[in-house]
Coordinates of all heavy atoms in Angstrom, one line a residue:
M1 N 0.8 -1.2 0.0 CA 0.0 0.0 0.0 C 0.9 1.2 0.0 O 1.7 1.4 0.9 CB -0.9 0.0 1.2 CG -2.2 0.8 1.0 SD -3.1 1.0 2.5 CE -3.2 -0.6 3.2
S2 N 0.7 2.1 -0.9 CA 1.5 3.3 -1.0 C 0.9 4.4 -0.1 O -0.3 4.4 0.2 CB 1.6 3.8 -2.5 OG 0.4 4.5 -2.8
V3 N 1.7 5.4 0.2 CA 1.3 6.5 1.0 C 0.2 7.3 0.3 O -0.8 7.7 0.9 CB 2.5 7.5 1.3 CG1 2.0 8.7 2.1 CG2 3.6 6.8 2.0
D4 N 0.2 7.4 -1.0 CA -0.8 8.1 -1.8 C -2.1 7.4 -1.6 O -3.1 8.1 -1.5 CB -0.4 8.1 -3.3 CG -1.0 9.3 -4.0 OD1 -1.2 10.3 -3.4 OD2 -1.4 9.1 -5.2
R5 N -2.2 6.1 -1.5 CA -3.5 5.5 -1.3 C -4.1 5.8 0.0 O -5.3 6.0 0.2 CB -3.3 3.9 -1.4 CG -3.4 3.5 -2.8 CD -4.5 2.6 -3.3 NE -5.9 3.0 -3.0 CZ -6.6 3.8 -3.7 NH1 -6.1 4.4 -4.8 NH2 -7.9 4.0 -3.5
I6 N -3.2 5.7 1.0 CA -3.7 6.0 2.4 C -4.3 7.4 2.5 O -5.3 7.6 3.1 CB -2.5 5.8 3.4 CG1 -2.0 4.4 3.4 CG2 -3.0 6.2 4.8 CD1 -0.6 4.3 4.1
T7 N -3.6 8.4 2.0 CA -4.0 9.7 2.1 C -5.0 10.2 1.1 O -5.5 11.3 1.1 CB -2.8 10.7 2.1 OG1 -2.1 10.4 0.9 CG2 -1.9 10.4 3.3
E8 N -5.3 9.4 0.1 CA -6.1 9.7 -1.0 C -7.4 10.4 -0.7 O -7.6 11.5 -1.1 CB -6.5 8.4 -1.8 CG -7.1 8.6 -3.2 CD -6.1 9.0 -4.2 OE1 -4.9 8.6 -4.0 OE2 -6.4 9.6 -5.2
G9 N -8.3 9.8 0.2 CA -9.6 10.3 0.5 C -9.5 11.7 1.2 O -10.3 12.5 1.0
R10 N -8.5 11.9 2.0 CA -8.3 13.1 2.8 C -8.1 14.3 1.9 O -8.5 15.4 2.3 CB -7.1 12.9 3.6 CG -7.3 13.2 5.1 CD -6.1 12.9 5.9 NE -5.3 14.1 5.9 CZ -4.0 14.1 6.3 NH1 -3.4 13.0 6.7 NH2 -3.3 15.2 6.4
Y11 N -7.5 14.1 0.7 CA -7.2 15.3 -0.1 C -8.3 15.6 -1.1 O -8.2 16.6 -1.8 CB -5.9 15.0 -0.8 CG -4.7 14.9 0.1 CD1 -3.6 14.3 -0.3 CD2 -4.8 15.4 1.4 CE1 -2.5 14.1 0.5 CE2 -3.7 15.2 2.3 CZ -2.6 14.6 1.8 OH -1.5 14.5 2.7
D12 N -9.3 14.7 -1.2 CA -10.3 14.9 -2.2 C -11.2 16.1 -1.8 O -11.5 16.4 -0.6 CB -11.2 13.7 -2.3 CG -10.6 12.7 -3.3 OD1 -9.7 13.1 -4.0 OD2 -11.0 11.5 -3.2
V13 N -11.6 16.9 -2.8 CA -12.4 18.1 -2.6 C -13.9 17.7 -2.8 O -14.2 17.2 -3.9 CB -12.1 19.2 -3.6 CG1 -12.9 20.4 -3.3 CG2 -10.6 19.5 -3.5
P14 N -14.7 17.8 -1.8 CA -16.2 17.5 -2.0 C -16.8 18.4 -3.1 O -16.3 19.5 -3.3 CB -16.8 17.9 -0.6 CG -15.6 18.0 0.3 CD -14.4 18.3 -0.5
D15 N -17.9 17.9 -3.7 CA -18.5 18.5 -4.8 C -19.0 20.0 -4.5 O -19.0 20.8 -5.3 CB -19.7 17.7 -5.3 CG -19.2 16.5 -6.0 OD1 -18.1 16.4 -6.4 OD2 -20.1 15.5 -6.2
D16 N -19.4 20.2 -3.2 CA -19.9 21.5 -2.9 C -18.8 22.5 -2.4 O -19.2 23.6 -1.9 CB -21.0 21.4 -1.8 CG -20.5 20.7 -0.5 OD1 -19.4 20.2 -0.6 OD2 -21.2 20.6 0.5
E17 N -17.6 22.1 -2.6 CA -16.5 23.0 -2.1 C -15.7 23.5 -3.3 O -15.5 22.7 -4.2 CB -15.6 22.2 -1.2 CG -15.4 23.0 0.2 CD -14.6 22.1 1.1 OE1 -13.3 22.2 1.0 OE2 -15.1 21.4 1.9
V18 N -15.3 24.7 -3.3 CA -14.5 25.3 -4.3 C -13.0 25.0 -4.0 O -12.6 25.4 -2.9 CB -14.7 26.8 -4.5 CG1 -13.8 27.3 -5.6 CG2 -16.2 27.1 -4.8
P19 N -12.3 24.3 -4.8 CA -10.9 24.0 -4.5 C -10.1 25.2 -4.4 O -10.2 26.2 -5.2 CB -10.5 23.1 -5.7 CG -11.5 23.3 -6.8 CD -12.7 23.7 -6.1
A20 N -9.2 25.2 -3.4 CA -8.4 26.4 -3.2 C -7.3 26.5 -4.2 O -6.8 27.5 -4.6 CB -7.7 26.3 -1.8
T21 N -6.9 25.3 -4.7 CA -5.8 25.3 -5.7 C -5.9 24.0 -6.4 O -6.6 23.1 -6.1 CB -4.4 25.4 -5.0 OG1 -3.4 25.4 -6.0 CG2 -4.2 24.3 -4.0
S22 N -5.0 23.8 -7.5 CA -5.0 22.6 -8.2 C -3.6 22.2 -8.6 O -2.7 23.1 -8.6 CB -5.9 22.7 -9.4 OG -5.5 23.7 -10.3
C23 N -3.4 20.9 -8.9 CA -2.1 20.5 -9.3 C -1.7 21.0 -10.6 O -2.4 20.9 -11.6 CB -2.1 19.0 -9.3 SG -0.6 18.3 -10.0
P24 N -0.5 21.7 -10.7 CA 0.0 22.2 -12.0 C 0.3 21.2 -13.0 O 0.5 21.5 -14.2 CB 1.2 23.0 -11.6 CG 1.7 22.5 -10.3 CD 0.4 21.9 -9.6
Y25 N 0.4 19.9 -12.6 CA 0.8 18.9 -13.5 C -0.3 18.0 -14.1 O -0.4 17.7 -15.2 CB 1.9 17.9 -12.9 CG 3.1 18.7 -12.4 CD1 3.3 19.1 -11.1 CD2 4.0 19.1 -13.4 CE1 4.4 19.8 -10.7 CE2 5.1 19.8 -13.0 CZ 5.3 20.1 -11.7 OH 6.4 20.9 -11.3
C26 N -1.3 17.7 -13.2 CA -2.4 16.9 -13.7 C -3.8 17.6 -13.5 O -4.8 17.1 -13.9 CB -2.4 15.5 -13.0 SG -2.8 15.6 -11.2
G27 N -3.8 18.8 -12.8 CA -5.0 19.6 -12.7 C -5.9 19.1 -11.6 O -7.1 19.6 -11.5
R28 N -5.5 18.2 -10.8 CA -6.4 17.7 -9.7 C -6.6 18.8 -8.7 O -5.7 19.5 -8.2 CB -5.7 16.5 -9.1 CG -6.6 15.8 -8.1 CD -5.9 14.6 -7.5 NE -6.5 14.2 -6.3 CZ -6.2 13.2 -5.6 NH1 -5.3 12.4 -6.0 NH2 -6.8 12.9 -4.4
P29 N -7.9 19.0 -8.3 CA -8.2 20.1 -7.3 C -7.8 19.7 -5.9 O -7.9 18.5 -5.6 CB -9.7 20.3 -7.5 CG -10.2 18.9 -8.0 CD -9.1 18.3 -8.8
F30 N -7.5 20.7 -5.1 CA -7.1 20.4 -3.7 C -7.7 21.5 -2.8 O -7.9 22.6 -3.2 CB -5.6 20.4 -3.5 CG -5.0 19.2 -4.1 CD1 -4.5 19.2 -5.4 CD2 -5.0 18.0 -3.4 CE1 -3.9 18.0 -5.9 CE2 -4.5 16.8 -4.0 CZ -4.0 16.8 -5.2
R31 N -8.0 21.1 -1.6 CA -8.6 22.0 -0.6 C -7.7 23.1 -0.1 O -8.1 24.1 0.4 CB -9.2 21.2 0.6 CG -10.2 20.2 0.2 CD -10.6 19.4 1.3 NE -11.7 20.0 2.0 CZ -12.4 19.3 2.9 NH1 -12.1 18.1 3.2 NH2 -13.5 19.9 3.5
S32 N -6.4 22.7 -0.1 CA -5.4 23.7 0.4 C -4.1 23.6 -0.3 O -3.8 22.5 -0.9 CB -5.2 23.6 1.9 OG -4.3 22.5 2.2
E33 N -3.3 24.6 -0.3 CA -2.0 24.7 -0.9 C -1.1 23.5 -0.4 O -0.4 22.9 -1.1 CB -1.3 26.0 -0.5 CG -0.3 26.5 -1.4 CD -0.8 26.9 -2.8 OE1 -1.7 27.7 -2.8 OE2 -0.3 26.4 -3.7
Q34 N -1.3 23.2 0.9 CA -0.5 22.2 1.6 C -0.8 20.8 1.0 O 0.2 20.0 0.7 CB -1.0 22.1 3.1 CG -0.1 21.3 3.9 CD -0.6 21.2 5.3 OE1 -1.8 21.5 5.6 NE2 0.1 20.7 6.3
Y35 N -2.0 20.5 0.7 CA -2.4 19.2 0.1 C -1.8 19.1 -1.3 O -1.3 18.0 -1.7 CB -3.9 19.1 0.0 CG -4.6 18.8 1.3 CD1 -6.0 18.8 1.5 CD2 -3.8 18.6 2.5 CE1 -6.6 18.6 2.7 CE2 -4.4 18.4 3.7 CZ -5.8 18.4 3.8 OH -6.4 18.2 5.0
A36 N -1.9 20.2 -2.1 CA -1.3 20.2 -3.4 C 0.2 20.0 -3.4 O 0.7 19.2 -4.2 CB -1.6 21.5 -4.1
T37 N 0.9 20.6 -2.4 CA 2.3 20.4 -2.3 C 2.6 18.9 -2.0 O 3.5 18.3 -2.6 CB 2.8 21.2 -1.1 OG1 2.5 22.6 -1.3 CG2 4.3 21.0 -0.9
F38 N 1.8 18.3 -1.1 CA 2.0 16.9 -0.8 C 1.8 16.0 -2.0 O 2.5 15.1 -2.3 CB 1.0 16.6 0.3 CG 1.5 15.6 1.3 CD1 2.3 16.1 2.3 CD2 1.2 14.3 1.2 CE1 2.8 15.2 3.2 CE2 1.7 13.4 2.1 CZ 2.5 13.8 3.1
H39 N 0.7 16.4 -2.7 CA 0.4 15.6 -3.9 C 1.5 15.6 -5.0 O 1.9 14.6 -5.6 CB -1.0 16.0 -4.5 CG -1.2 15.6 -5.9 ND1 -1.7 14.4 -6.3 CD2 -1.0 16.3 -7.1 CE1 -1.7 14.3 -7.6 NE2 -1.3 15.4 -8.1
V40 N 2.0 16.8 -5.2 CA 3.0 17.0 -6.3 C 4.2 16.2 -5.9 O 4.8 15.5 -6.8 CB 3.4 18.5 -6.4 CG1 4.7 18.7 -7.2 CG2 2.3 19.3 -7.1
G41 N 4.6 16.2 -4.6 CA 5.8 15.4 -4.2 C 5.6 13.9 -4.3 O 6.5 13.2 -4.7
L42 N 4.3 13.5 -4.1 CA 4.0 12.0 -4.2 C 3.8 11.6 -5.6 O 4.3 10.5 -6.0 CB 2.8 11.7 -3.3 CG 3.0 11.7 -1.8 CD1 1.6 11.5 -1.2 CD2 3.9 10.6 -1.4
A43 N 3.0 12.3 -6.4 CA 2.6 11.9 -7.7 C 3.5 12.3 -8.8 O 3.5 11.7 -9.9 CB 1.2 12.3 -7.9
H44 N 4.2 13.5 -8.6 CA 5.0 14.0 -9.7 C 6.5 14.3 -9.3 O 7.0 15.4 -9.5 CB 4.4 15.3 -10.3 CG 2.9 15.1 -10.5 ND1 2.4 14.4 -11.6 CD2 1.9 15.7 -9.8 CE1 1.1 14.5 -11.5 NE2 0.7 15.2 -10.5
P45 N 7.1 13.3 -8.6 CA 8.5 13.6 -8.1 C 9.5 13.9 -9.3 O 10.5 14.6 -9.1 CB 8.8 12.3 -7.4 CG 7.9 11.3 -7.8 CD 6.7 12.0 -8.3
D46 N 9.2 13.3 -10.5 CA 10.1 13.5 -11.6 C 9.9 14.8 -12.3 O 10.9 15.3 -12.9 CB 10.0 12.3 -12.5 CG 10.4 11.0 -11.9 OD1 11.2 11.0 -10.9 OD2 9.8 9.9 -12.2
E47 N 8.7 15.3 -12.3 CA 8.4 16.4 -13.1 C 8.5 17.7 -12.3 O 8.8 18.8 -12.9 CB 6.9 16.4 -13.6 CG 6.6 15.1 -14.4 CD 5.1 14.7 -14.3 OE1 4.3 15.4 -14.9 OE2 4.8 13.8 -13.5
C48 N 8.4 17.7 -11.0 CA 8.3 18.9 -10.2 C 9.7 19.5 -10.0 O 10.7 18.8 -10.2 CB 7.6 18.7 -8.9 SG 8.5 17.8 -7.7
S49 N 9.7 20.8 -9.7 CA 11.0 21.5 -9.5 C 11.6 21.2 -8.1 O 11.0 20.6 -7.3 CB 10.7 23.0 -9.6 OG 9.9 23.5 -8.5
D50 N 12.8 21.6 -8.0 CA 13.5 21.4 -6.7 C 12.8 22.1 -5.6 O 12.8 21.6 -4.4 CB 15.0 21.9 -6.8 CG 15.8 21.0 -7.7 OD1 15.4 19.9 -8.0 OD2 17.0 21.3 -8.0
D51 N 12.3 23.3 -5.9 CA 11.6 24.1 -4.8 C 10.4 23.3 -4.4 O 10.1 23.2 -3.2 CB 11.1 25.4 -5.4 CG 12.2 26.4 -5.4 OD1 13.3 26.1 -4.9 OD2 12.0 27.6 -5.9
E52 N 9.6 22.7 -5.3 CA 8.4 22.0 -5.0 C 8.8 20.7 -4.2 O 8.1 20.3 -3.2 CB 7.7 21.6 -6.2 CG 6.8 22.8 -6.7 CD 6.3 22.5 -8.1 OE1 7.0 21.8 -8.9 OE2 5.3 23.1 -8.5
L53 N 9.9 20.1 -4.5 CA 10.4 18.9 -3.8 C 10.8 19.3 -2.4 O 10.5 18.5 -1.5 CB 11.5 18.3 -4.6 CG 11.6 16.8 -4.6 CD1 10.3 16.2 -5.2 CD2 12.8 16.3 -5.5
A54 N 11.4 20.4 -2.2 CA 11.8 20.9 -0.9 C 10.6 21.2 -0.1 O 10.6 20.8 1.1 CB 12.7 22.1 -1.0
A55 N 9.6 21.8 -0.7 CA 8.4 22.1 0.0 C 7.7 20.8 0.5 O 7.2 20.7 1.6 CB 7.4 22.9 -0.9
F56 N 7.7 19.8 -0.4 CA 7.1 18.5 -0.1 C 7.8 17.9 1.1 O 7.2 17.4 2.0 CB 7.2 17.6 -1.3 CG 6.9 16.2 -1.0 CD1 5.6 15.8 -0.5 CD2 7.8 15.2 -1.2 CE1 5.3 14.5 -0.2 CE2 7.5 13.9 -0.9 CZ 6.3 13.5 -0.4
D57 N 9.1 17.9 1.1 CA 9.9 17.4 2.2 C 9.5 18.0 3.5 O 9.4 17.3 4.5 CB 11.4 17.6 2.0 CG 12.0 16.4 1.1 OD1 11.3 15.3 1.1 OD2 13.1 16.6 0.5
E58 N 9.3 19.3 3.5 CA 8.9 20.0 4.7 C 7.5 19.6 5.2 O 7.3 19.3 6.3 CB 8.9 21.5 4.4 CG 10.1 22.2 5.1 CD 10.2 23.7 4.7 OE1 9.2 24.4 4.9 OE2 11.2 24.0 4.1
E59 N 6.6 19.5 4.2 CA 5.2 19.1 4.6 C 5.3 17.7 5.1 O 4.6 17.3 6.1 CB 4.3 19.1 3.3 CG 4.0 20.4 2.7 CD 3.2 21.3 3.7 OE1 2.7 20.7 4.7 OE2 3.2 22.5 3.5
R60 N 6.1 16.8 4.5 CA 6.1 15.4 5.0 C 6.7 15.3 6.4 O 6.2 14.5 7.2 CB 7.0 14.6 4.0 CG 6.8 13.1 4.2 CD 7.5 12.3 3.1 NE 8.9 12.8 3.0 CZ 9.8 12.4 2.1 NH1 9.4 11.5 1.2 NH2 11.0 12.8 2.0
D61 N 7.7 16.2 6.7 CA 8.2 16.2 8.1 C 7.1 16.6 9.0 O 7.0 16.0 10.1 CB 9.3 17.2 8.2 CG 10.6 16.6 7.6 OD1 10.6 15.4 7.2 OD2 11.6 17.4 7.4
D62 N 6.3 17.6 8.6 CA 5.2 18.0 9.5 C 4.2 16.9 9.7 O 3.7 16.6 10.8 CB 4.4 19.2 8.9 CG 5.2 20.5 9.0 OD1 6.2 20.5 9.7 OD2 4.7 21.5 8.4
E63 N 3.9 16.1 8.6 CA 3.0 15.0 8.8 C 3.5 14.0 9.7 O 2.8 13.5 10.6 CB 2.8 14.3 7.4 CG 1.9 15.1 6.4 CD 0.4 14.8 6.6 OE1 0.1 13.6 6.8 OE2 -0.4 15.8 6.6
E64 N 4.8 13.7 9.6 CA 5.4 12.7 10.5 C 5.4 13.2 11.9 O 5.2 12.4 12.8 CB 6.8 12.4 10.0 CG 6.8 11.3 8.9 CD 8.1 11.2 8.1 OE1 9.1 11.8 8.6 OE2 8.1 10.6 7.1
Y65 N 5.6 14.5 12.1 CA 5.6 15.0 13.4 C 4.1 14.9 14.0 O 4.0 14.5 15.2 CB 6.0 16.5 13.3 CG 6.0 17.2 14.7 CD1 7.0 16.9 15.6 CD2 5.0 18.0 15.1 CE1 7.0 17.5 16.8 CE2 4.9 18.6 16.3 CZ 6.0 18.4 17.2 OH 5.9 18.9 18.4
D66 N 3.1 15.2 13.2 CA 1.7 15.0 13.6 C 1.5 13.6 14.1 O 0.9 13.4 15.1 CB 0.8 15.4 12.5 CG 0.7 16.9 12.3 OD1 1.2 17.6 13.2 OD2 0.0 17.4 11.4
L67 N 1.9 12.7 13.3 CA 1.7 11.3 13.6 C 2.4 10.9 14.9 O 1.8 10.2 15.7 CB 2.3 10.4 12.5 CG 1.3 9.9 11.4 CD1 2.0 9.0 10.4 CD2 0.2 9.1 12.1
L68 N 3.6 11.4 15.1 CA 4.4 11.1 16.2 C 3.7 11.7 17.5 O 3.5 10.9 18.5 CB 5.8 11.7 16.1 CG 6.7 11.4 17.3 CD1 7.3 10.0 17.1 CD2 7.9 12.4 17.4
T69 N 3.2 12.9 17.4 CA 2.5 13.5 18.6 C 1.2 12.7 18.9 O 0.8 12.5 20.0 CB 2.2 15.0 18.4 OG1 1.7 15.2 17.1 CG2 3.4 15.8 18.7
F70 N 0.6 12.3 17.8 CA -0.7 11.5 18.0 C -0.4 10.2 18.7 O -1.1 9.9 19.7 CB -1.3 11.2 16.6 CG -2.5 10.2 16.7 CD1 -3.7 10.7 17.1 CD2 -2.3 8.9 16.4 CE1 -4.8 9.9 17.2 CE2 -3.4 8.0 16.5 CZ -4.7 8.5 16.9
H71 N 0.7 9.5 18.3 CA 1.0 8.2 19.0 C 1.5 8.5 20.4 O 1.2 7.7 21.3 CB 2.2 7.5 18.2 CG 1.7 6.9 17.0 ND1 0.8 5.8 17.0 CD2 2.0 7.1 15.7 CE1 0.6 5.4 15.8 NE2 1.3 6.2 14.9
L72 N 2.1 9.6 20.6 CA 2.6 10.0 21.9 C 1.4 10.2 22.9 O 1.4 9.7 24.0 CB 3.5 11.2 21.8 CG 4.6 11.3 22.8 CD1 5.6 10.2 22.6 CD2 5.3 12.7 22.7
K73 N 0.4 11.0 22.4 CA -0.8 11.3 23.1 C -1.5 10.0 23.5 O -2.0 9.8 24.6 CB -1.7 12.2 22.4 CG -1.3 13.6 22.5 CD -2.3 14.5 21.7 CE -1.7 15.9 21.5 NZ -2.3 16.6 20.4
A74 N -1.6 9.1 22.5 CA -2.3 7.8 22.7 C -1.6 7.0 23.8 O -2.2 6.4 24.7 CB -2.3 7.0 21.4
A75 N -0.2 7.0 23.7 CA 0.6 6.2 24.7 C 0.4 6.8 26.1 O 0.2 6.1 27.1 CB 2.0 6.2 24.3
V76 N 0.4 8.1 26.2 CA 0.3 8.8 27.5 C -1.1 8.5 28.1 O -1.3 8.2 29.3 CB 0.5 10.3 27.3 CG1 0.0 11.0 28.6 CG2 2.0 10.6 27.1
S77 N -2.2 8.5 27.2 CA -3.5 8.3 27.7 C -3.6 6.9 28.3 O -4.2 6.7 29.4 CB -4.5 8.4 26.6 OG -4.3 9.6 25.9
V78 N -3.1 5.9 27.6 CA -3.1 4.5 28.0 C -2.3 4.4 29.4 O -2.8 3.8 30.3 CB -2.4 3.6 27.0 CG1 -2.2 2.2 27.6 CG2 -3.3 3.5 25.7
F79 N -1.2 5.0 29.4 CA -0.4 5.0 30.7 C -1.2 5.6 31.8 O -1.2 5.1 32.9 CB 0.9 5.8 30.5 CG 1.7 5.9 31.7 CD1 2.4 4.8 32.1 CD2 1.7 7.0 32.4 CE1 3.2 4.8 33.3 CE2 2.5 7.1 33.6 CZ 3.2 6.0 34.0
L80 N -1.9 6.7 31.6 CA -2.6 7.4 32.7 C -3.8 6.5 33.1 O -4.0 6.4 34.4 CB -3.2 8.7 32.1 CG -2.2 9.9 32.2 CD1 -2.8 11.2 31.6 CD2 -1.6 10.1 33.6
V81 N -4.5 5.9 32.2 CA -5.6 5.0 32.6 C -5.1 3.9 33.4 O -5.6 3.5 34.5 CB -6.3 4.5 31.3 CG1 -7.3 3.4 31.7 CG2 -7.1 5.6 30.6
Y82 N -4.0 3.3 33.0 CA -3.4 2.2 33.7 C -2.9 2.6 35.1 O -3.2 1.9 36.1 CB -2.1 1.7 32.9 CG -1.4 0.6 33.5 CD1 -1.8 -0.7 33.4 CD2 -0.2 0.9 34.2 CE1 -1.1 -1.7 34.0 CE2 0.5 -0.2 34.8 CZ 0.1 -1.5 34.7 OH 0.8 -2.5 35.3
F83 N -2.3 3.8 35.2 CA -1.9 4.3 36.4 C -3.1 4.5 37.4 O -3.0 4.2 38.6 CB -1.1 5.6 36.2 CG -0.6 6.3 37.4 CD1 0.6 5.8 38.0 CD2 -1.2 7.3 38.0 CE1 1.1 6.3 39.1 CE2 -0.7 7.9 39.2 CZ 0.5 7.4 39.7
M84 N -4.1 5.1 36.8 CA -5.3 5.4 37.6 C -5.9 4.1 38.2 O -6.3 4.0 39.4 CB -6.4 6.0 36.7 CG -7.3 7.0 37.5 SD -8.3 7.9 36.3 CE -9.3 6.6 35.7
F85 N -6.0 3.0 37.4 CA -6.5 1.8 37.8 C -5.6 1.2 38.9 O -6.1 0.7 39.9 CB -6.7 0.8 36.7 CG -8.0 0.9 36.0 CD1 -8.1 1.5 34.8 CD2 -9.1 0.4 36.6 CE1 -9.4 1.6 34.2 CE2 -10.4 0.5 36.0 CZ -10.5 1.1 34.8
T86 N -4.3 1.2 38.7 CA -3.4 0.7 39.7 C -3.6 1.5 41.0 O -3.6 0.9 42.1 CB -1.9 0.9 39.2 OG1 -1.9 0.4 37.9 CG2 -1.0 0.1 40.1
F87 N -3.7 2.8 40.9 CA -3.9 3.6 42.1 C -5.1 3.3 42.8 O -5.1 3.1 44.1 CB -3.9 5.1 41.6 CG -3.9 6.0 42.8 CD1 -2.8 6.3 43.6 CD2 -5.1 6.7 43.0 CE1 -2.9 7.2 44.6 CE2 -5.2 7.6 44.1 CZ -4.1 7.9 44.9
L88 N -6.2 3.2 42.1 CA -7.5 2.8 42.7 C -7.5 1.4 43.4 O -8.0 1.2 44.5 CB -8.6 2.8 41.7 CG -9.1 4.2 41.2 CD1 -10.2 4.1 40.1 CD2 -9.7 5.0 42.4
Y89 N -6.8 0.5 42.7 CA -6.7 -0.8 43.2 C -5.9 -0.9 44.5 O -6.4 -1.5 45.5 CB -6.0 -1.7 42.1 CG -6.0 -3.1 42.3 CD1 -7.2 -3.8 42.1 CD2 -4.9 -3.9 42.8 CE1 -7.3 -5.2 42.3 CE2 -5.0 -5.2 42.9 CZ -6.2 -5.9 42.7 OH -6.2 -7.2 42.9
A90 N -4.8 -0.1 44.5 CA -4.0 0.0 45.7 C -4.8 0.6 46.8 O -4.7 0.2 48.0 CB -2.7 0.8 45.4
L91 N -5.6 1.6 46.5 CA -6.4 2.4 47.5 C -7.4 1.4 48.1 O -7.6 1.4 49.3 CB -7.1 3.5 46.8 CG -7.4 4.7 47.6 CD1 -6.1 5.4 48.0 CD2 -8.4 5.7 46.9
V92 N -8.1 0.6 47.3 CA -9.1 -0.3 47.8 C -8.4 -1.3 48.7 O -9.0 -1.7 49.8 CB -9.7 -1.1 46.6 CG1 -10.5 -2.3 47.1 CG2 -10.6 -0.1 45.8
W93 N -7.2 -1.8 48.3 CA -6.6 -2.8 49.2 C -6.0 -2.2 50.4 O -6.0 -2.9 51.5 CB -5.4 -3.5 48.4 CG -6.0 -4.6 47.6 CD1 -6.4 -4.6 46.3 CD2 -6.2 -6.0 48.0 NE1 -6.8 -5.8 45.9 CE2 -6.7 -6.7 46.9 CE3 -5.9 -6.6 49.2 CZ2 -7.1 -8.0 47.0 CZ3 -6.2 -8.0 49.3 CH2 -6.8 -8.7 48.2
A94 N -5.6 -1.0 50.3 CA -5.0 -0.3 51.5 C -6.1 0.0 52.5 O -5.9 -0.1 53.7 CB -4.3 1.0 51.1
G95 N -7.3 0.3 52.0 CA -8.5 0.6 52.8 C -9.1 -0.7 53.4 O -9.2 -0.9 54.5
Ligands
ZN1 ZN1 -1.0 16.0 -10.0

């Protein structure tokens, strides 16, 4: 499964929305400049300019950072729930 497939649905523009921008290479509409940048880097790495490639690299870093913080938050939540249960359990036994 390629990254483009995973993110496909997210970048699609609904029929009732006016696309903010479109791909200069294939004309595909996008909801934001950011999505277009991402798409150009994924779908047109051979055709796009160095600037566009650099912009894509930056966007991709942001995406990875978002994912990382998401996983971190999930891990912390699990830990807190676990801690709370352990604490309650200890409290019950101590009482
Ligand atoms: Zn395109």
Side-chain angles (χ1 to χ4, degrees):
M1 207 191 309
S2 77
V3 178
D4 203 32
R5 275 245 51 82
I6 300 169
T7 54
E8 194 76 24
R10 233 178 88 192
Y11 297 160
D12 277 343
V13 180
D15 289 342
D16 57 351
E17 234 177 82
V18 180
T21 183
S22 60
C23 173
Y25 300 102
C26 68
R28 187 175 159 177
F30 288 97
R31 302 174 89 165
S32 80
E33 206 65 56
Q34 193 188 10
Y35 289 172
T37 303
F38 215 81
H39 160 84
V40 166
L42 284 174
H44 314 286
D46 298 329
E47 305 151 75
C48 72
S49 68
D50 286 350
D51 279 357
E52 281 167 332
L53 217 55
F56 167 63
D57 272 340
E58 252 171 61
E59 292 296 344
R60 196 172 47 184
D61 284 350
D62 284 354
E63 286 274 318
E64 276 164 13
Y65 180 75
D66 283 353
L67 262 181
L68 186 79
T69 42
F70 173 77
H71 283 298
L72 212 66
K73 276 179 197 160
V76 167
S77 312
V78 168
F79 176 76
L80 279 180
V81 168
Y82 178 78
F83 182 78
M84 208 173 67
F85 270 106
T86 310
F87 183 74
L88 282 176
Y89 194 73
L91 208 70
V92 166
W93 273 93

